[in-house]
Amino acid sequence: MKSVIKLFLSGLLLLSIFISCDREVYTGFTEPVILSNCKIFVESNPDSASIYVDGKNSGFITSDTIKGLSEGIHYITLKKNLFKDTTITIELSSSDKKSLFIDFYNNPSNFGTIYVNSNPVGATIYLNDKNTGYLTPHNLTSLFVGKYKVKCNLPLHRSDSTIVTVTYGKIQSINFNLDDTSKWVNYNISNSELSSNHLSSLAADMNNVWIGTRDKGIMKLHGNQFDIIQSVNSRLKYNFINSLFIHNNDLYIATSGSLQRFDGSTWMDLTSILPDPYVTSIIFDKNDVMWIGTQKGLVRYDGVNTVVFDRASGMSSDFVMDIAVDNLNNIWVATNSDGINMYDGHKWKIYDMSNMNLGANLGNSIKDIACDKEGYIYAAHIYSIEKGELGGFTRFKDGTWEQLELNGVPANLVECIYIDDQGNKWVGTKGGMTKFRYEPNDGYFFNTSNSKLPANQVVDIIISPDGNLWIATFGGGLAKVKKGNF
Amino acid sequence: MKTKFYLLTLILSLLTILSCEETFDPYGKFEEKYVLNCIVRADTNYQVALVSKSYISENLDPYSNTEDKSVQNILVRLWNGNDNVAILKDTIVERSSDDKYNSPYRIYYAENFQPIPGLPLEIEAVLPDGRVLSSATSVPAPINFLDTSSDTLIPPSKGDYIQVVWNSPQTKPVFILRLGIYYFKYEGGSKKRYIYFVPQNYVEHEGKFVPNYPKPITQSRFSFDMKTIDKAMELISAGESDKSKFEILSCIIEVIALDENLSIYYNTTANANNAFSVKLDEKDYSNIKGGYGIFGAYNRNYYVLRFKHDYIRSFGYIPGLTE
């Protein structure tokens, strides 16, 4: 019996030892830590392609390393503008670091085509300034994606070019309307190096045409080359040009704040001889004496001495708008608001609405004045609704003024008068330009509707020594009409 | 023999008792956890995210820690859809001198990321050891005020309250409101601009009016009692005898729409109106996969109400804008 008790107690004790420490403790849910330690180095040709991982933009571009990738299969897509998306499947295992290189140019899908046409057809096609040997119309095929300069050349037409972006698998069509330059050539800021479309004056010597602008200085055009002359790159003092004049191969420049002479290399500032720096006009008389119009008087300068004429000297106004010299070397002066003044070397004679004996009040504000070889004086009166002045175009000879109507253009909106060596009168207005020999109705007119005139406001006209006609417009740039076509 | 047996029994009993003795650690096994917090604002393109890690305090006071636990060298990215992505840059921001931390803030920021409502918004932070914290939401739709249902003038032509109504295509939306009276006060020869924020009501306590500001709401409309606005207008110049120093401009209501994440966060932390609900502590809520933290987004819009000039003048103030 004792043995049984001993055995029972021993077993009980052993059981106690085994089960006494058995316990369960709840420690909560432990989220497994998943490490995304894989990396992949991605590069491409060309580089800077966006790297997408499993359809999402990684924010990295080639060449770069994408880190934080989990184990398993990933889809790496490279996206680059113009190229076809390229996707590669890659499998990564623990802590892998792999590399991937994609050459877009190895994919034949990354080619495109440019279809080039022109009007008229038959123009030579240049690609990135290299002659392709093809004429329009033509498909330029097997071009890698990217930007290409496409140019078309056709004799007697203005060459045209454009930048074309070729996208994979696409055909880009371009059509050039080639400007016929056999008679007219227009220059503006879009198709040439002309610095402004707002022109003010023209002058021409044997080799160059000089173009004054309202805001961008002067341009010298020699051949097809424009040289820009401005206050920032030369000694030109102001970019607001009022008038240009060529005398003895020197260029005289009247600006809003200066009078300068430029002989092609050297500048001379003549502003100091003037009563006011705002210079409107320049002319030389038959004795090579220079006459300068300013806001505060007319200046006679013989190269040594200066004489200033103004109200105190017998003029009707101090504000000179334009000057002309007649066959008798009389000086005719257009004033801002007080009619026309004529100086015969001794005294002034004044013509205005009070003594011009015109049928209507054309006004005493004279924009431009010119003299021809037949002894006529032509004047442009400015239209002013505020002053009740009708404006108009008048002519003077033998003591009589007469009002003229112009063929096809508004006579009360005349901007400039130019008389060529043959005695043709060219009149630029705000509504186009007209040309006549003797009477205004014996000529013809140009405007934007019936010609290639780039703008209707014609501010200056000249014929250069090589026989071409040059037309400066306000807003439309410059036009050249080739010799024999006007 | 009997003695030996009892001696053996005693030894075994002693071993049994001693074998269960163990030390008890109240913290349990410490596992370092990372925390990502980012609230994306749809009304700006500047976004900020913060990444920090858990820690064991030396003593039992968690606020005794003065070491900044923000984490460096993390790749933090925000996505709005699959294509629009921003890799956040890291920088440090100086703390104020009285801050308990002894090192600057380390923040991650994006300067040109303005999410488009409707597209999924995701965040991912890849830690240097390969851990990834991530979350997703969508940007709340813009708040469009319904002019036909909202008052435009204070006081309104009808009723004794002003009401502003807006539309929201969001399900389970939560809105936060703030109404401010904008005014100039002439001080020392010049005028300075101030804003007085109007409460939902005032509770009079010991002779003082204690403001009770609007709590987040789930409806797309809100009303302000004119009595409250009257009281706010009065209090603008409390203590000032010269009322003409005050030039009243307008009243602007700012409404913020929270996304679903922030709405849930708000709902888990808000006081329930019944005795059976159990309030969660803020730290219990997280919507960051792989760690802790909050990722959400909100949108914001403003609605302007003008004051009638007679109403402004009735307080002795000067109208600052056309009626």
Side-chain angles (χ1 to χ4, degrees):
Chain A
M1 183 61 188
K2 284 184 179 178
S3 299
V4 173
I5 291 170
K6 287 177 186 173
L7 192 64
F8 173 75
L9 286 173
S10 302
L12 189 66
L13 280 168
L14 285 169
L15 193 66
S16 299
I17 290 168
F18 284 117
I19 66 170
S20 64
C21 294
D22 190 15
R23 57 193 165 89
E24 280 189 8
V25 177
Y26 177 71
T27 55
F29 172 72
T30 304
E31 197 175 357
V33 175
I34 300 167
L35 298 180
S36 299
N37 275 328
C38 302
K39 296 176 183 176
I40 181 164
F41 175 70
V42 188
E43 58 181 334
S44 67
N45 179 34
D47 60 8
S48 302
S50 296
I51 307 168
Y52 279 61
V53 178
D54 301 327
K56 274 170 62 178
N57 189 350
S58 68
F60 294 95
I61 57 171
T62 55
S63 303
D64 212 329
T65 299
I66 309 296
K67 59 181 183 178
L69 296 174
S70 60
E71 293 179 26
I73 292 173
H74 292 282
Y75 298 94
I76 308 296
T77 303
L78 293 195
K79 294 188 179 203
K80 186 164 176 66
N81 187 29
L82 309 179
F83 290 89
K84 190 176 183 181
D85 294 354
T86 304
T87 301
I88 301 287
T89 306
I90 195 159
E91 186 167 9
L92 300 170
S93 54
S94 179
S95 300
D96 255 356
K97 181 170 183 183
K98 290 192 173 177
S99 293
L100 177 65
F101 174 72
I102 292 173
D103 190 343
F104 284 101
Y105 293 119
N106 280 344
N107 186 348
S109 300
N110 283 322
F111 288 106
T113 298
I114 304 175
Y115 173 72
V116 190
N117 199 1
S118 68
N119 180 27
V121 297
T124 305
I125 304 169
Y126 288 74
L127 194 66
N128 292 341
D129 294 325
K130 280 181 68 177
N131 190 342
T132 61
Y134 296 114
L135 303 178
T136 57
H138 186 77
N139 273 320
L140 301 173
T141 57
S142 302
L143 299 172
F144 277 124
V145 298
K147 291 186 187 302
Y148 292 88
K149 181 184 177 187
V150 181
K151 187 172 98 172
C152 275
N153 267 5
L154 188 66
L156 295 177
H157 289 75
R158 182 188 293 282
S159 298
D160 202 356
S161 67
T162 189
I163 302 295
V164 181
T165 302
V166 173
T167 311
Y168 77 93
K170 303 267 171 54
I171 299 174
Q172 305 292 332
S173 294
I174 47 169
N175 187 36
F176 293 105
N177 277 314
L178 300 175
D179 188 20
D180 181 354
T181 57
S182 58
K183 296 175 183 174
W184 282 74
V185 185
N186 287 343
Y187 302 91
N188 57 50
I189 58 172
S190 301
N191 68 10
S192 70
E193 295 172 49
L194 196 71
S195 61
S196 172
N197 287 336
H198 296 88
L199 309 183
S200 59
S201 55
L202 295 168
D205 58 26
M206 292 305 291
N207 302 312
N208 311 299
V209 175
W210 301 84
I211 305 142
T213 74
R214 281 289 180 213
D215 51 353
K216 298 280 170 56
I218 303 166
M219 272 152 299
K220 182 175 82 170
L221 175 59
H222 49 109
N224 287 320
Q225 178 69 40
F226 282 94
D227 291 344
I228 298 172
I229 300 167
Q230 293 179 346
S231 56
V232 292
N233 66 358
S234 72
R235 291 181 63 192
L236 180 68
K237 293 184 80 174
Y238 294 92
N239 289 328
F240 188 102
I241 309 299
N242 280 326
S243 184
L244 299 172
F245 196 89
I246 299 282
H247 182 69
N248 291 340
N249 291 323
D250 290 339
L251 177 68
Y252 289 82
I253 305 152
T255 78
S256 56
S258 63
L259 172 67
Q260 289 177 274
R261 186 175 75 191
F262 181 54
D263 65 5
S265 58
T266 307
W267 291 84
M268 177 178 277
D269 189 358
L270 300 168
T271 315
S272 61
I273 66 169
L274 305 175
D276 185 81
Y278 190 95
V279 185
T280 58
S281 50
I282 312 155
I283 201 166
F284 282 79
D285 68 15
K286 298 185 186 312
N287 299 322
D288 277 348
V289 173
M290 186 179 181
W291 295 82
I292 307 143
T294 76
Q295 278 190 131
K296 292 184 179 174
L298 176 74
V299 179
R300 180 186 186 278
Y301 178 60
D302 61 8
V304 179
N305 299 310
T306 303
V307 180
V308 178
F309 297 95
D310 52 18
R311 283 181 190 274
S313 318
M315 288 180 68
S316 62
S317 169
D318 295 340
F319 196 147
V320 176
M321 293 288 283
D322 194 29
I323 317 164
V325 179
D326 68 14
N327 292 335
L328 303 173
N329 209 26
N330 295 319
I331 308 302
W332 292 81
V333 180
T335 71
N336 183 43
S337 57
D338 294 289
I340 296 161
N341 291 202
M342 190 273 281
Y343 184 65
D344 62 5
H346 303 287
K347 63 181 183 305
W348 288 95
K349 182 164 179 58
I350 295 163
Y351 297 98
D352 59 20
M353 286 300 105
S354 66
N355 62 3
M356 290 175 84
N357 299 321
L358 301 166
N361 178 21
L362 304 189
N364 289 323
S365 298
I366 313 299
K367 174 88 173 176
D368 206 4
I369 193 162
C371 305
D372 72 4
K373 289 177 181 173
E374 283 92 26
Y376 283 102
I377 314 300
Y378 294 88
H381 299 246
I382 297 172
Y383 167 72
S384 170
I385 192 168
E386 293 86 6
K387 295 178 183 174
E389 294 172 346
L390 300 174
F393 188 64
T394 57
R395 180 166 67 179
F396 174 81
K397 191 175 185 183
D398 299 332
T400 304
W401 287 92
E402 60 177 323
Q403 183 181 357
L404 304 175
E405 289 303 321
L406 295 170
N407 186 22
V409 294
N412 62 342
L413 297 175
V414 171
E415 292 277 303
C416 62
I417 307 161
Y418 171 70
I419 298 169
D420 66 24
D421 291 342
Q422 278 73 48
N424 296 308
K425 288 77 179 172
W426 298 84
V427 183
T429 75
K430 288 182 177 170
M433 57 182 277
T434 187
K435 172 199 172 187
F436 62 90
R437 178 68 182 88
Y438 297 105
E439 298 300 326
N441 55 9
D442 69 2
Y444 54 91
F445 65 94
F446 308 94
N447 59 33
T448 54
S449 301
N450 70 1
S451 71
K452 292 178 73 177
L453 192 69
N456 275 334
Q457 189 170 353
V458 176
V459 295
D460 204 4
I461 304 164
I462 58 163
I463 293 175
S464 54
D466 57 7
N468 293 323
L469 174 70
W470 298 86
I471 305 161
T473 72
F474 192 78
L478 178 71
K480 176 173 82 172
V481 187
K482 290 183 178 175
K483 183 180 177 182
N485 294 293
F486 53 88
Chain B
M1 184 63 192
K2 198 173 183 179
T3 306
K4 285 181 183 173
F5 173 75
Y6 286 119
L7 190 63
L8 182 65
T9 304
L10 186 67
I11 291 167
L12 285 170
S13 298
L14 199 64
L15 278 172
T16 304
I17 293 162
L18 291 176
S19 67
C20 293
E21 190 182 348
E22 61 177 313
T23 55
F24 175 70
D25 183 356
Y27 292 114
K29 186 185 175 190
F30 174 69
E31 287 181 25
E32 195 170 62
K33 288 282 187 179
Y34 289 84
V35 181
L36 169 64
N37 284 310
C38 178
I39 308 296
V40 174
R41 291 174 53 182
D43 61 342
T44 177
N45 61 3
Y46 186 80
Q47 314 297 347
V48 173
L50 299 166
V51 184
S52 55
K53 60 185 176 183
S54 60
Y55 60 91
I56 296 180
S57 184
E58 293 292 324
N59 51 40
L60 292 175
D61 177 13
Y63 294 103
S64 63
N65 173 59
T66 57
E67 185 191 344
D68 183 21
K69 297 297 179 183
S70 58
V71 188
Q72 302 179 30
N73 301 321
I74 298 182
L75 172 63
V76 183
R77 284 176 290 185
L78 277 168
W79 282 273
N80 186 207
N82 285 336
D83 296 317
N84 185 15
V85 60
I87 299 175
L88 278 68
K89 301 171 188 170
D90 66 335
T91 187
I92 54 173
V93 179
E94 289 298 326
R95 295 177 190 270
S96 60
S97 57
D98 57 347
D99 200 300
K100 71 167 187 161
Y101 292 103
N102 51 24
S103 57
Y105 282 107
R106 179 168 294 277
I107 65 167
Y108 294 84
Y109 69 99
E111 286 180 307
N112 195 18
F113 186 84
Q114 187 158 12
I116 300 165
L119 288 176
L121 188 65
E122 295 174 69
I123 192 166
E124 182 186 89
V126 180
L127 275 61
D129 66 357
R131 291 187 205 215
V132 177
L133 311 180
S134 63
S135 188
T137 186
S138 60
V139 182
I143 296 160
N144 295 312
F145 293 99
L146 302 177
D147 293 339
T148 51
S149 310
S150 302
D151 287 310
T152 56
L153 277 173
I154 300 174
S157 51
K158 284 183 186 174
D160 55 0
Y161 61 91
I162 57 158
Q163 179 176 256
V164 178
V165 184
W166 58 92
N167 63 14
S168 169
Q170 193 179 339
T171 54
K172 297 181 183 174
V174 170
F175 302 104
I176 298 170
L177 278 95
R178 198 160 63 162
L179 184 144
I181 297 172
Y182 287 66
Y183 65 98
F184 285 125
K185 184 182 176 187
Y186 288 85
E187 292 174 328
S190 63
K191 59 182 184 182
K192 291 181 181 173
R193 203 190 73 168
Y194 291 94
I195 307 170
Y196 184 92
F197 289 107
V198 181
Q200 188 172 2
N201 53 42
Y202 288 97
V203 178
E204 196 167 357
H205 178 68
E206 295 178 351
K208 289 186 176 178
F209 290 95
V210 180
N212 177 27
Y213 288 100
K215 292 183 171 51
I217 57 168
T218 54
Q219 302 84 20
S220 300
R221 63 176 62 227
F222 197 79
S223 302
F224 281 89
D225 199 314
M226 273 308 297
K227 284 180 187 169
T228 307
I229 296 175
D230 292 345
K231 178 54 69 180
M233 288 288 278
E234 273 179 40
L235 292 175
I236 280 175
S237 62
E240 287 279 356
S241 56
D242 184 3
K243 306 293 182 187
S244 64
K245 283 182 181 176
F246 295 84
E247 187 178 315
I248 307 298
L249 301 172
S250 63
C251 200
I252 297 178
I253 294 181
E254 177 184 351
V255 179
I256 294 173
L258 307 181
D259 73 337
E260 205 164 322
N261 286 351
L262 293 180
S263 297
I264 293 169
Y265 174 64
Y266 160 70
N267 284 313
T268 57
T269 57
N271 284 317
N273 288 328
N274 60 71
F276 307 103
S277 299
V278 177
K279 179 177 172 288
L280 285 168
D281 287 334
E282 290 180 22
K283 63 186 178 184
D284 291 331
Y285 179 77
S286 169
N287 64 350
I288 300 295
K289 192 177 163 188
Y292 295 130
I294 305 290
F295 176 60
Y298 69 77
N299 215 331
R300 176 164 36 190
N301 203 355
Y302 301 89
Y303 185 79
V304 178
L305 291 128
R306 287 178 180 273
F307 287 104
K308 286 181 180 170
H309 286 186
D310 288 346
Y311 179 72
I312 293 172
R313 290 193 189 98
S314 70
F315 295 92
Y317 305 144
I318 298 168
L321 298 174
T322 54
E323 194 168 270

